Amino acid sequence: MRKKIVAANWKMNLNLTEGGNLVSDICKSLPILAENMQVLIAPPYINITSVVSQLSGVSNVFVAAQNCHQEASGAYTGEVAASMLSAAGVTYVIIGHSERRQYFAESNAMLAQKTDQALSNNLKVVFCCGEPLEVRDANNQNAYVAQQIEESIFHLTAEQMNSVVVAYEPIWAIGTGRTANTAQAQDMHSHIRAVLSAKFGAEVADSTSILYGGSCKPSNAAELFACQDVDGGLIGGASLKAEEFLGIIYAMTK
Ligand code: PGA
């Protein structure tokens, strides 16, 4: 059975104290998570070790990094290697968020390298894809997203795909308050599953979790998560407040 996952992407928000308070508030009211359910928290790098220790002993809640470098080590001032994340107790790494693609010029080819670094260091990957508004308006979103997936993860083996979660985040819905409607989300998620199935086979496609991201909040999470091919969410703004993030976690557990 594929996993249901709700992931918090804090982006460049919350200092050590604020992040620590948020994690302890979430833990206080966390519902019981079934075996196939996970919660991920992706804080800024500097908070990672403290969130890892706060979550030690908390079942089914894991720390994710928001990025990793595409090289194993070396003279890359300011960067963090996948091996360092792994050694710090990180379980997942988000690869290819649209903000990384847009502001840090991360190409599909570079994201393929980052994915390899993550997987070879025993990290699981949350691979993000999603189209800008002009592509959606031209109704070319399916081809656009398929190409992102082909160029960044099609080189993996079926076995490696067990460690990959896909997150579909239409750029026009991120931080805009404009959510994809359930039909748009379901259509794209089933398209992504078909793309994965054509390359890796139905078994891999059926067991890959595909998360929706983009203005997901407690008021719309339940209907999005009820879509057949939507296996949870990647949450930005609404993950910064315990009550809102918990509301979305509760929507997954129903
Ligand atoms: P948002 O961000 O929930 O604030 O729209 C989602 C994301 O970028 O992961």
Side-chain angles (χ1 to χ4, degrees):
M1 196 201 293
R2 60 182 179 249
K3 287 189 172 58
K4 293 184 175 203
I5 299 172
V6 167
N9 176 11
W10 291 0
K11 308 190 181 184
M12 196 173 73
N13 294 295
L14 307 181
N15 66 23
L16 218 45
T17 309
E18 293 162 340
N21 290 341
L22 176 58
V23 170
S24 71
D25 287 347
I26 292 167
C27 289
K28 266 182 226 148
S29 304
L30 196 67
I32 291 171
L33 299 168
E35 208 185 323
N36 69 325
M37 291 179 187
Q38 295 187 347
V39 170
L40 314 184
I41 297 185
Y45 286 138
I46 199 163
N47 302 44
I48 278 180
T49 50
S50 82
V51 178
V52 166
S53 60
Q54 271 186 293
L55 292 177
S56 80
V58 182
S59 300
N60 297 11
V61 185
F62 301 100
V63 177
Q66 298 175 15
N67 178 35
C68 69
H69 196 264
Q70 63 272 23
E71 300 294 343
S73 64
Y76 301 101
T77 302
E79 291 296 313
V80 174
S83 59
M84 299 168 186
L85 299 172
S86 190
V90 168
T91 307
Y92 281 86
V93 57
I94 299 172
I95 302 271
H97 190 281
S98 61
E99 288 150 17
R100 300 290 319 171
R101 294 171 186 265
Q102 183 181 350
Y103 304 130
F104 301 93
E106 296 191 353
S107 65
N108 291 341
M110 186 192 290
L111 299 175
Q113 286 180 278
K114 290 186 181 222
T115 301
D116 290 342
Q117 281 299 330
L119 295 176
S120 60
N121 286 286
N122 295 320
L123 296 168
K124 294 177 197 295
V125 168
V126 178
F127 177 76
C128 300
C129 54
E131 79 287 354
L133 186 58
E134 61 274 17
V135 171
R136 168 66 59 169
D137 285 343
N139 201 30
N140 283 332
Q141 66 275 6
N142 284 7
Y144 187 94
V145 167
Q147 189 177 356
Q148 290 179 317
I149 291 173
E150 283 162 19
E151 293 184 5
S152 297
I153 60 173
F154 262 27
H155 66 289
L156 301 179
T157 64
E159 199 195 329
Q160 285 178 308
M161 280 301 293
N162 288 328
S163 299
V164 176
V165 170
V166 175
Y168 168 60
E169 300 204 300
I171 297 171
W172 44 270
I174 296 178
T176 58
R178 182 178 160 187
T179 318
N181 63 39
T182 51
Q184 289 170 320
Q186 170 55 27
D187 282 357
M188 178 57 82
H189 283 228
S190 85
H191 168 64
I192 291 171
R193 211 176 293 288
V195 168
L196 296 176
S197 180
K199 171 68 186 173
F200 298 105
E203 206 178 312
V204 168
D206 283 343
S207 58
T208 301
S209 303
I210 306 177
L211 316 184
Y212 169 79
S215 299
C216 187
K217 41 189 182 261
S219 60
N220 60 23
E223 60 175 3
L224 284 162
F225 297 172
C227 298
Q228 198 190 333
D229 288 293
V230 177
D231 305 308
L234 178 53
I235 320 299
S239 74
L240 300 174
K241 296 208 173 106
E243 199 179 295
E244 289 188 33
F245 190 55
L246 283 161
I248 297 171
I249 296 172
Y250 273 95
M252 165 176 73
T253 61
K254 293 226 174 85

